[in-house]
């Protein structure tokens, strides 16, 4: 107990509405609520509350709300409450501060500073309900040599492709960081939507091999759960070089989360911390990366595309150019707002760059070098809506990864306490009592609904622009205009300012 | 025939169904007014123990032993629903004794028996426990 830290949020109970049904008490893994038998009333200890809103959502009489505490230190524009509390916390523990989910700081969101075009008079908009509107696409290398057989017929020399019915995939979230039920929901949703989910670096649970054709398996620096069958089961293989939430560092799954099942899937001892090193110890150059890319291709008979995922950092355009030349089929870039199950707070909040800027620069660099067709580009790291997807595609992406939005669909309330392992929504936990709170029958439908809804909106926006396929929107930066951006920002994004004509 | 089924795997033991049942059968439209400060007597009960939770209510048996045992003709089976007529019930509680699921209970005043009637007898029209289960643990569906 740290006497210096006061509750950031307060649980407020409307005593007139509370019927003391104790549902809040039974649903809080943090033991905030308790029943006082003497008075027959409920009590709450706000000091234990993480503001996950589980109790608020399950309260049948809407008697609960959680408010930001107005308790404050003397107002100081330089030393705000949180900064002071972090000092107290470290003075108390002597440790590195840990956080979860994406960077919550007040940095600019460039998605919100770009506006989308629409057709008027001279080039009519298209009604997606009446006319074809294609959101299907393929990811992979487009460059092929034209070869003919002895009879002069064209040979199929197209490298392996991933076929997506929607320009959205679920980003890498490992079994271990999220629960079995969360993985099942993602896998089933990917199957129904005709897209892909990603195992993250935690291996593939034996129950989920049946979703293999909608699965991207990850090979990360810890090499957890990587074996021949794992690679064979997947539709594509992703080499994880970096993660947007924590560029430059590895991962650390605490031993408490290594249950028997997680241990078997990851091929590591139960209860022992799983540490992913910061670098791949066999990759110190693009040439080394090329070796791993081709090792994986060799192992899977050149039948599966290989993705290389990096965090968006200052030099990512040059790195992407190297990746495109390494033999990889797809580059995935993860922006600094991307989520995580646990990361050091200082890294999450201060390292990396916005995905919008990284994407624009990478697409431009690959075009300049004439190697854009060597790879597809997938972006993630806070794609929050269908509008963000449309803007990303117009900036040059082939498709988007969504992680946080998918978890929100499963019930996550962004309390950012994943690293405690006591997720009240059954997502970021391995405690059986909590895991069962996420019924995949319900969860997968919510994911399908979300992506279906986004896809409708993408079609509407494309139709408005008079564009009838995502392929035609890709890299079409004339469809974007900046607002509230400086000249430098406009030039990095490669777009014009609102009001400037074609 | 549609029946209420409980998936033990998904029952969280939150006991919300008990309160939704009590509210549905209160005849009132405001839950606070219906339940605040009152001891509830729901027709569905969540059994808890050893990490297992299971909501139990009337199974609406195809050959209901309670109907056979009723001395007053208050219990009847109609279209797959076992119903009780409070006007006819004499409060002998033979049904309470014979029900293998413990799904029939004496009412609050102890004068007659009460049981689940799938909310067909109140303004909900559909089982309120099913409608409000937060994890789809209680379902009302057709099964072979």
């Amino acid at each position: 107990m740290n006497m210096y830290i006061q509750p950031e949020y307060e649980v407020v109970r409307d005593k007139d509405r509370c019927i003391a049904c104790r549902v809040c008490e039974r649903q809080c893994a943090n033991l905030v609520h308790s029943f006082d038998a003497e008075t027959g009333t409920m009590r709450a200890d706000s000091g234990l509350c993480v503001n996950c809103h589980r109790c608020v959502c399950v309260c049948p009489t809407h008697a609960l709300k959680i408010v930001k505490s107005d308790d404050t230190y003397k107002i100081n524009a330089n030393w705000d409450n949180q900064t002071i509390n972090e000092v107290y916390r470290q003075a108390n523990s002597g440790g590195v501060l840990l956080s979860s989910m994406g960077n919550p700081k007040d940095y600019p969101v460039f998605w919100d500073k770009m506006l989308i075009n629409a057709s008027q008079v001279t080039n009519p908009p298209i009604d997606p309900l009446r006319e074809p509107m294609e959101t299907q696409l393929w990811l992979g290398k487009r460059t092929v040599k034209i070869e003919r057989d002895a009879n002069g017929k064209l040979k199929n020399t197209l490298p392996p492709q991933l076929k997506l019915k929607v320009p959205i995939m679920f980003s890498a979230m490992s079994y271990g960081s999220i629960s079995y039920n969360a993985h099942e929901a993602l896998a089933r949703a990917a199957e129904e939507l005709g897209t892909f989910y990603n195992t993250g670096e935690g291996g593939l649970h034996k129950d989920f091999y049946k979703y293999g054709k909608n699965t991207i398996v990850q090979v990360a620096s810890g090499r957890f759960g990587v074996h021949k069958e794992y690679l064979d089961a997947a539709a594509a293989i992703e080499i994880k070089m970096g993660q947007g939430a924590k560029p430059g560092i590895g991962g650390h799954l605490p031993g408490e989360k290594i249950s028997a099942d997680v241990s078997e899937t990851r091929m590591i001892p139960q209860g022992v911390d799983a540490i992913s090193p910061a670098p791949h110890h066999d990759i110190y150059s693009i040439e080394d990366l090329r070796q791993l890319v081709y090792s994986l291709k060799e192992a899977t008979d050149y039948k599966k595309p290989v993705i290389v995922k990096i965090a968006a950092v200052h030099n990512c355009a040059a790195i992407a150019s190297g990746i495109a030349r390494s033999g990889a089929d797809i580059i995935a870039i993860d922006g600094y707002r991307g989520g995580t199950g646990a990361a050091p707070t200082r890294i999450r909040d201060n390292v990396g760059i916005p995905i919008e800027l990284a994407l624009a620069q990478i697409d431009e660099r690959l075009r300049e070098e004439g190697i854009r067709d060597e790879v597809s580009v997938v972006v993630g790291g806070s794609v929050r809506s269908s509008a963000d997807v449309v803007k990303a595609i117009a900036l040059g992406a082939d498709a988007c990864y969504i992680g946080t939005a998918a978890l929100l669909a499963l019930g996550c309330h962004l309390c950012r306490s994943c690293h405690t392992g006591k997720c009240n929504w059954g997502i970021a936990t391995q405690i059986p009592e909590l895991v069962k709170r996420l019924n995949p029958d319900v969860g997968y439908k919510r994911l399908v609904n979300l992506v279906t809804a986004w896809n409708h909106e993408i079609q509407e926006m494309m139709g408005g622009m008079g564009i009838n396929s995502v392929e035609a929107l890709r890299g079409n930066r004339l469809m974007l205009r900046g607002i509230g951006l400086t000249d430098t920002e406009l030039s990095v994004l490669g777009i014009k300012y609102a009001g400037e004509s074609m | 025939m549609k029946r209420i089924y409980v998936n033990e795997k998904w029952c969280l033991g939150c006991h919300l169904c008990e309160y939704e049942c009590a509210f549905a059968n209160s005849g009132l439209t405001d839950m606070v007014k219906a339940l605040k400060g009152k001891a509830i007597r729901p027709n569905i009960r969540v059994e808890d123990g050893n990490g297992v939770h299971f909501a139990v209510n009337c199974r609406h048996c195809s050959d209901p032993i309670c109907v056979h045992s009723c001395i007053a003709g208050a219990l009847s089976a109609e279209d797959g629903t076992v119903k009780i007529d409070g006007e006819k019930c004499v409060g002998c509680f033979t049904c309470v004794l014979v029900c293998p699921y413990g799904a029939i209970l004496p009412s609050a005043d102890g004068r007659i028996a009460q049981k689940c009637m799938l909310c067909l007898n109140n303004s909900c029209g559909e089982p309120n426990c099913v409608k409000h289960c937060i994890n789809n643990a209680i379902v009302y569906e057709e099964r072979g």
Side-chain angles (χ1 to χ4, degrees):
Chain A
M1 189 62 198
N2 186 349
M3 66 172 258
Y4 286 97
I5 311 273
Q6 306 312 318
E8 227 182 310
Y9 296 92
E10 286 167 16
V11 181
V12 179
R13 176 176 275 106
D14 182 345
K15 286 215 179 318
D16 290 338
R17 294 202 62 79
C18 177
I19 57 170
C21 67
R22 303 177 70 177
V23 172
C24 51
E25 179 191 1
R26 295 187 187 99
Q27 289 291 296
C28 182
N30 299 307
L31 309 176
V32 169
H33 302 276
S34 58
F35 180 66
D36 180 359
E38 213 170 286
T39 58
T41 54
M42 299 300 301
R43 298 193 169 172
D45 179 353
S46 296
L48 302 169
C49 179
V50 298
N51 194 359
C52 76
H53 264 69
R54 179 78 179 178
C55 60
V56 176
C57 292
V58 297
C59 176
T61 58
H62 310 295
L64 288 169
K65 66 175 175 180
I66 297 173
V67 297
K68 178 99 179 78
S69 172
D70 53 7
D71 176 66
T72 182
Y73 306 131
K74 205 171 236 187
I75 300 295
N76 187 323
N78 187 32
W79 290 91
D80 62 23
N81 285 4
Q82 196 187 340
T83 310
I84 296 172
N85 275 344
E86 284 172 349
V87 170
Y88 288 151
R89 198 162 281 132
Q90 289 191 295
N92 191 48
S93 69
V96 170
L97 292 171
L98 275 186
S99 292
S100 322
M101 298 309 286
N103 180 346
K105 297 269 185 182
D106 186 23
Y107 292 107
V109 180
F110 289 97
W111 299 130
D112 295 339
K113 299 187 177 210
M114 287 185 276
L115 297 169
I116 298 167
N117 193 27
S119 305
Q120 299 294 300
V121 185
T122 53
N123 51 341
I126 303 167
D127 182 350
L129 296 175
R130 291 163 201 275
E131 291 176 67
M133 182 62 65
E134 197 57 80
T135 56
Q136 181 170 288
L137 62 120
W138 281 263
L139 298 178
K141 278 185 194 299
R142 303 277 190 276
T143 45
V144 285
K145 267 196 197 137
I146 297 198
E147 287 178 32
R148 293 176 188 278
D149 62 16
N151 301 322
K153 286 257 162 60
L154 275 178
K155 281 191 199 166
N156 183 5
T157 50
L158 189 68
Q161 308 275 319
L162 281 186
K163 181 184 171 189
L164 276 67
K165 285 197 182 149
V166 290
I168 298 160
M169 302 190 286
F170 300 124
S171 15
M173 289 177 277
S174 70
Y175 175 47
S177 75
I178 60 169
S179 65
Y180 178 98
N181 289 345
H183 252 222
E184 182 181 332
L186 288 166
R188 285 167 63 184
E191 185 177 52
E192 184 153 327
L193 289 162
T195 182
F196 300 87
Y197 83 107
N198 190 314
T199 61
E201 58 176 314
L204 180 61
H205 193 282
K206 55 185 185 300
D207 294 354
F208 300 146
Y209 275 71
K210 60 183 175 208
Y211 302 109
K213 64 177 176 31
N214 298 94
T215 306
I216 295 171
V217 297
Q218 216 177 49
V219 174
S221 60
R223 301 286 201 271
F224 297 124
V226 178
H227 49 90
K228 180 81 166 71
E229 292 74 44
Y230 171 74
L231 300 176
D232 282 339
I237 302 163
E238 180 170 279
I239 300 171
K240 178 197 177 187
M241 299 304 302
Q243 182 177 346
K246 40 182 171 179
I249 64 163
H252 184 162
L253 190 67
E256 303 92 71
K257 280 190 172 182
I258 316 287
S259 62
D261 247 14
V262 173
S263 137
E264 187 190 339
T265 306
R266 291 201 175 209
M267 309 194 305
I268 54 170
Q270 197 175 334
V272 175
D273 292 14
I275 306 210
S276 304
H280 285 247
H281 286 307
D282 51 355
I283 301 178
Y284 285 83
S285 64
I286 294 294
E287 291 77 10
D288 290 347
L289 175 64
R290 186 178 175 85
Q291 285 197 3
L292 182 59
V293 168
Y294 277 93
S295 302
L296 294 170
K297 288 192 173 203
E298 190 72 36
T300 51
D301 219 7
Y302 294 86
K303 283 184 182 147
K304 299 173 199 294
V306 171
I307 307 167
V308 174
K309 175 180 175 178
I310 55 163
V313 289
H314 303 184
N315 199 27
C316 58
I319 298 161
S321 164
I323 294 170
R325 294 163 199 279
S326 75
D329 300 274
I330 300 162
I331 301 177
I333 327 155
D334 195 10
Y336 80 142
R337 294 265 191 195
T340 174
T345 308
R346 299 296 172 233
I347 305 268
R348 184 196 67 174
D349 294 355
N350 297 285
V351 180
I353 62 169
I355 188 61
E356 303 91 321
L357 306 180
L359 165 62
Q361 282 303 298
I362 287 172
D363 180 66
E364 202 167 297
R365 177 76 171 251
L366 296 179
R367 280 169 195 259
E368 275 170 10
E369 297 184 0
I371 51 173
R372 181 64 183 83
D373 286 346
E374 288 285 337
V375 281
S376 288
V377 175
V378 179
V379 296
S382 199
V383 173
R384 306 157 303 164
S385 69
S386 57
D388 291 357
V389 175
V390 168
K391 291 170 189 176
I393 294 171
L395 272 182
D398 288 81
C400 292
Y401 265 140
I402 59 165
T404 301
L407 295 189
L408 290 176
L410 292 176
C412 168
H413 276 61
L414 271 182
C415 72
R416 312 198 295 266
S417 314
C418 318
H419 55 289
T420 64
K422 291 194 290 187
C423 176
N424 269 321
W425 293 91
I427 301 168
T429 178
Q430 300 301 325
I431 302 168
E433 272 290 283
L434 299 177
V435 171
K436 73 189 285 192
R437 291 184 185 182
L438 175 58
N439 182 340
D441 292 341
V442 181
Y444 105 90
K445 276 187 204 142
R446 292 181 58 81
L447 287 168
V448 170
N449 284 346
L450 177 77
V451 175
T452 307
W454 283 21
N455 205 45
H456 281 308
E457 292 175 337
I458 290 167
Q459 291 179 327
E460 290 286 351
M461 280 182 269
M462 288 200 307
M465 289 182 264
I467 286 173
N468 65 4
S469 77
V470 286
E471 304 266 341
L473 175 62
R474 184 186 314 127
N476 198 339
R477 293 196 197 173
L478 284 174
M479 290 297 137
L480 296 176
R481 287 290 184 277
I483 182 121
L485 295 173
T486 65
D487 284 351
T488 310
E489 288 164 335
L490 290 169
S491 96
V492 171
L493 285 166
I495 59 173
K496 295 186 169 191
Y497 202 79
E500 286 188 88
S501 64
M502 296 287 180
Chain B
M1 191 60 63
K2 275 174 104 176
R3 289 174 188 277
I4 291 182
Y5 295 95
V6 177
N7 296 314
E8 174 256 312
K9 191 179 173 190
W10 301 123
C11 179
L12 306 176
C14 71
H15 294 242
L16 190 60
C17 50
E18 297 178 352
Y19 288 83
E20 292 294 347
C21 176
F23 172 45
N25 291 302
S26 69
L28 297 175
T29 52
D30 181 67
M31 188 183 240
V32 178
K33 202 172 165 193
L35 306 181
K36 188 157 178 65
K38 293 177 189 152
I40 59 162
R41 220 173 165 73
N43 294 324
I44 187 164
R45 302 263 169 153
V46 178
E47 307 272 348
D48 303 296
N50 293 330
V52 175
H53 309 282
F54 196 93
V56 182
N57 68 345
C58 174
R59 313 315 306 149
H60 298 277
C61 307
S62 45
D63 186 21
I65 191 169
C66 57
V67 174
H68 296 308
S69 70
C70 182
I71 59 166
L75 281 156
S76 62
E78 215 179 293
D79 299 331
T81 311
V82 175
K83 295 180 178 169
I84 186 162
D85 181 347
E87 296 290 311
K88 290 185 184 166
C89 178
V90 295
C92 71
F93 301 139
T94 309
C95 54
V96 176
L97 286 170
V98 299
C99 176
Y101 301 99
I104 311 182
L105 296 168
S107 64
D109 60 12
R111 296 171 57 146
I112 55 170
Q114 67 170 54
K115 69 177 293 303
C116 164
M117 288 198 254
L118 301 174
C119 285
L120 297 172
N121 58 323
N122 59 43
S123 60
C124 291
E126 56 178 319
N128 209 37
C129 53
V130 175
K131 193 172 159 193
H132 287 94
C133 178
I134 56 174
N135 207 33
N136 266 24
I138 314 177
V139 292
Y140 185 49
E141 62 189 24
E142 198 90 43
R143 283 189 192 173

